[in-house]
Amino acid sequence: MQIIVRDNNVDQALKALKKKMQREGLFREMKLRNHYEKPSVKRAREKAESIRRARKLARKRLQREGLLPAAAKK
């Protein structure tokens, strides 16, 4: 991963780096690798995540088709 610092603006470069790392999922992976996770717990977590993703995708699809009202933004 590479970030270019322009005009000695380190704060802006750091912000861009954090955003890139967040998008790539590095923070989440570091958190997961911090402690050992039993294989059974890992399988259960991954299955729950995939179900959550599928439901979210289905909800978005129904909203696009107009069958569900759009989610209220805060």
Side-chain angles (χ1 to χ4, degrees):
M1 198 171 295
Q2 186 177 25
I3 300 291
I4 298 168
V5 180
R6 296 185 184 144
D7 302 327
N8 270 347
N9 196 345
V10 178
D11 291 331
Q12 186 180 9
L14 192 60
K15 187 176 178 182
L17 176 67
K18 284 182 181 178
K19 195 173 190 178
K20 223 177 209 185
M21 289 174 72
Q22 179 72 34
R23 219 177 302 129
E24 293 291 323
L26 281 175
F27 290 123
R28 192 164 183 276
E29 188 175 336
M30 285 190 302
K31 185 178 177 184
L32 287 173
R33 288 176 184 241
N34 205 7
H35 299 287
Y36 178 74
E37 187 176 27
K38 286 172 46 179
S40 59
V41 173
K42 184 177 181 182
R43 271 194 307 273
R45 178 183 51 77
E46 287 176 347
K47 185 175 182 179
E49 286 174 357
S50 70
I51 290 170
R52 213 173 8 256
R53 270 194 312 272
R55 283 184 182 159
K56 185 176 182 179
L57 225 145
R59 191 170 51 244
K60 293 280 189 185
R61 192 176 306 121
L62 288 173
Q63 285 175 351
R64 271 197 306 273
E65 294 172 1
L67 299 173
L68 274 180
K73 292 186 179 181
K74 293 181 179 179

